[in-house]
Amino acid sequence: MYRYLKRLLIGQPLKTAEESGQSLTKFKALALLSSDALSSVAYGTEQITTALFILSAAATWYALPAAGIVLLLLFAITMSYRQIINAYPSGGGAYVVATKNWGTSAGLVAGGSLLVDYMLTVAVSVTSGTEAITSAIPSLQAHSVFISVVIVLFIMTLNLRGMRESASFLTIPVYFFVIMIVSMVALGLFNIATGKIQYSAAAHIGDAVPGMSLLLFLKAFSAGSSSLTGVEAISNAVPNFKEPKKRNAANTLAIMSLILAVFFSGITFLSYYLGVLPDPKQTVLSQIAGAVFGHGIFYYLLQLSTAMILAVAANTGFSAFPILAYNLAKDKFMPHMFMDKGDRLGYSNGIIALAIGAIVLIFIFNGQTNLLIPLYAVGVFVPFTLSQAGMLIHWKRHKGKHWILNSCFNLLGAVISFALVVFLFWLHFDNVWPYLIIMPVLLFGFYKIHSHYVTVAAQLRLSEEQQLHDYSGSTVIVLVSSVTHVTTGAINYARSISDNVIAMHVSFDTNPKKEHETAQEFKMAFPDVRFVDLHSSYRSVVPPVLRFCDVIAKDAKQRNYSLTVLVPQFVPKKPWQNILHNQTSLRLRSALGAHENIIVSTYSYHLKK
C-alpha cells in the first residue's frame, strides 16, 4: 500500500542517466524560481505606504523615493548575483561566496540565514495565499491553518515529483499573474495618459509634511525591502539549468529582476497617483485593480492570480533550500542525508525537511506570520551583505575584465544591504531579535556536526602500518525465545561458522514450569549445544542479554576469539503483518550494536503464508 501510494503521488523512479532531462529552460526556471520575488509586489508597496500612513495620508508620497532606493538596491543585487553565477556556478550562492572569501564562519552565517529564511518564505507565502483565499470565502477563515498545511504538503509533493513537473505546473499561476499585472499597470498608465483616471494623490511630490522624519522614511524603506526577497534563489540553483548553465541562469535572473522592477515601480506609482491608502479590509493591490479594471471579471481574475502566486511563492524555497542544504552537507556542516537524491532525482530529504519546518512555523504562529516579515528580510539581507562584500574580495584577488566596474556594483549593494540590516535591527528589533538567538544555535549545530564527521573520518582512515588480525577462533551466541523452525535454522547456521555455539534463553519468573520445558525441549533437539538459561525478574529481555554477552565478549577477547550474537527472527509474508508481532529482535539488535567487540547478525526465517 505504501509503495503504491508513493508511486501514485511521486511517480515512477527516474534513472540517473535521465538527470539531464530534469534541467530547466529559462521559461520554466523563471516560473520555478521567481514566484517568491514576483509575488512580493503584492505586498511590497503596501508595506511602504502602511509605514508612512502612520504619520498622515500626505506622507504617503514619500513612497516614491523609498521605492526608488529599493529599485537601486535591486539593480545592485542583480548585478552582484549575475557575477556570483559566473564566478561560482556550482550553486550555493551567498554561502559559497562568503565561505570562499570571508571564511567558514561568515559562510555559515550566510548559509544558516538562508536556511531559516527559506522556511520563513514557505510559511509567509503560504499563509499570505491562505489569507487571500479566506478573504474571498470568509467561511473558511476558521480553517486557515489546515488550508496552509495542505498547501505546503501539496507543494512538497509537487517538488518530490521532480523539477520538470513542478516547473510545468507553476508556469500557469506565475505567468497568469505576470499577464494580469502587466495588463493592470499598462491599462492604468494608459488611462492616466488619456485622462480617464483623475489625479487623486493625497499630497503633491515635494510637499512638506509636518512630523516627517528620516527615521520614519528609513522605516518605510526597510519595510519595502521585503520586495527583494527571493532574488538570490537563482544563484543557488545554477546546477538545475540547461547548458550553458551560467548564461541561462544569469539571463533568467536579469529577466526576473526587470519584471520585478517594472511591477514594483508601476504599482507604487499607481498607488500614489490614485491616492490609495492602506485599508485593513482591502489590500493596496486590490484597490488599484478596482480603480483600473472596475469590479468586473478582470478585477476578480487579478485577485485570483494574486492568491495563486502567493500560495505557490513558497516553491522558490523548495527549489533553493535543498541545493543549499546539499552544499552545507557536502562541506560536512549538515547531515549527509541531505546529499542523497530521491526517486525523481531531487534532494528529497531537503524538500521534506523544509516542509516540516514551515508547518511547525505555521502552527507556532497559528497561521498569522505577518509579524515574521522583518525577520524574513534580515534572513535575506545578511547573506546579501556578506556575498556582495565577498565579491569585492573576489575581484581584488582575481581581477578580470571590468573588475573595477563590477566592484563598484558590489560596493553599492554591500553598503545599502548593510545599512538595511542595521535599520531592520534598529527599527524592528521587537520582530527580529530571534535572529540573535537562532544564528548562534545554528552555528553551534553546524560546528558540532562538522566536528563529528572529522572525528569519524580520522578514526576510519587506514594508516600505513595497518595489519590484518588473525583470530584464534570464534564464538557464536544464538538467542532463543522458544524451540521452533526459526531456532533450528539459526543453530544450523551458527554451527556452520563456529565450533563454539552457545544458545541463550531468557526466562521470566511468572511461569517456571514452562521455562523448564523450553530448556528440556532444546536439550533434546540439540544435545551437543551449550544452553544457558538466564532469569529476568523484571520481565525484560534486553538487560540480561547485554550482561551475558559482555561477559562472553570479555572472555573471547582474552582468548583472541571473535564473538557473534545471532538474533533469529521470522519474516511474515506480507509486510503489514509485522505490526501483529513484537519487535524484540529489533530492540536487541539496536542494544547490542552499541556494545564494543560484539558482532551482531540476523537469521531470518521467511514464513510461507
Side-chain angles (χ1 to χ4, degrees), residues 119-120 122-123 152 351-364:
M119 289 187 183
L120 291 170
V122 175
V152 171
I351 293 169
I352 294 169
L354 176 59
I356 292 172
I359 289 172
V360 169
L361 283 172
I362 289 170
F363 274 110
I364 289 174

Side-chain angles (χ1 to χ4, degrees), residues 225-507:
S225 65
S226 61
S227 294
L228 303 184
T229 55
V231 173
E232 82 294 337
I234 291 176
S235 70
N236 286 329
V238 178
N240 292 336
F241 281 81
K242 284 186 176 294
E243 295 288 354
K245 295 180 184 291
K246 292 192 292 185
R247 182 190 301 172
N248 286 334
N251 289 343
T252 302
L253 174 62
I255 294 168
M256 181 191 73
S257 297
L258 180 61
I259 294 172
L260 177 59
V262 171
F263 285 5
F264 181 66
S265 56
I267 290 170
T268 304
F269 175 74
L270 288 175
S271 173
Y272 161 74
Y273 193 91
L274 296 169
V276 172
L277 300 175
D279 183 346
K281 296 181 180 180
Q282 194 176 15
T283 65
V284 165
L285 192 61
S286 175
Q287 293 180 65
I288 295 172
V292 173
F293 291 133
H295 285 79
I297 186 172
F298 289 105
Y299 168 81
Y300 289 104
L301 286 175
L302 179 76
Q303 291 294 87
L304 175 62
S305 70
T306 303
M308 289 173 66
I309 198 168
L310 284 170
V312 303
N315 199 80
T316 296
F318 279 102
S319 301
F321 181 98
I323 295 180
L324 177 58
Y326 165 82
N327 279 283
L328 283 161
K330 184 179 65 175
D331 294 339
K332 304 185 189 304
F333 290 107
M334 285 185 71
H336 283 170
M337 67 177 187
F338 289 104
M339 297 172 64
D340 297 337
K341 288 191 173 182
D343 289 349
R344 303 289 292 181
L345 301 177
Y347 296 109
S348 303
N349 291 324
I351 293 169
I352 294 169
L354 176 59
I356 292 172
I359 289 172
V360 169
L361 283 172
I362 289 170
F363 274 110
I364 289 174
F365 292 94
N366 197 33
Q368 305 297 318
T369 56
N370 288 337
L371 294 178
L372 296 176
I373 288 180
L375 181 61
Y376 175 38
V378 167
V380 173
F381 285 103
V382 168
F384 277 178
T385 304
L386 290 171
S387 64
Q388 291 177 92
M391 286 304 293
L392 290 173
I393 298 175
H394 171 84
W395 292 123
K396 184 178 179 181
R397 287 175 179 168
H398 301 284
K399 300 292 191 295
K401 189 177 181 181
H402 306 308
W403 74 273
I404 294 178
L405 179 61
N406 290 332
S407 297
C408 290
F409 289 133
N410 296 138
L411 179 62
L412 176 64
V415 169
I416 298 178
S417 295
F418 177 73
L420 192 51
V421 171
V422 173
F423 297 155
L424 286 166
F425 275 101
W426 179 25
L427 303 172
H428 302 276
F429 187 77
D430 288 347
N431 293 328
V432 302
W433 65 264
Y435 182 86
L436 300 177
I437 297 175
I438 293 170
M439 193 46 56
V441 170
L442 276 178
L443 288 175
F444 176 78
F446 289 149
Y447 279 115
K448 288 295 288 184
I449 291 170
H450 188 265
S451 174
H452 170 77
Y453 281 130
V454 170
T455 303
V456 168
Q459 293 180 75
L460 296 180
R461 191 178 298 114
L462 289 175
S463 57
E464 292 182 2
E465 65 274 9
Q466 190 74 28
Q467 295 180 354
L468 295 175
H469 182 80
D470 293 324
Y471 286 102
S472 301
S474 65
T475 297
V476 179
I477 298 175
V478 180
L479 305 183
V480 176
S481 61
S482 59
V483 183
T484 64
H485 286 303
V486 185
T487 309
T488 303
I491 293 294
N492 288 337
Y493 172 73
R495 293 170 66 180
S496 74
I497 61 174
S498 174
D499 293 329
N500 185 22
V501 177
I502 303 172
M504 190 188 69
H505 173 71
V506 178
S507 61

Side-chain angles (χ1 to χ4, degrees), residues 71-81 388 409-410 412-414 416:
L71 291 173
L72 181 64
L73 179 58
L74 172 62
F75 174 73
I77 290 172
T78 301
M79 296 304 296
S80 177
Y81 274 104
Q388 291 177 92
F409 289 133
N410 296 138
L412 176 64
I416 298 178

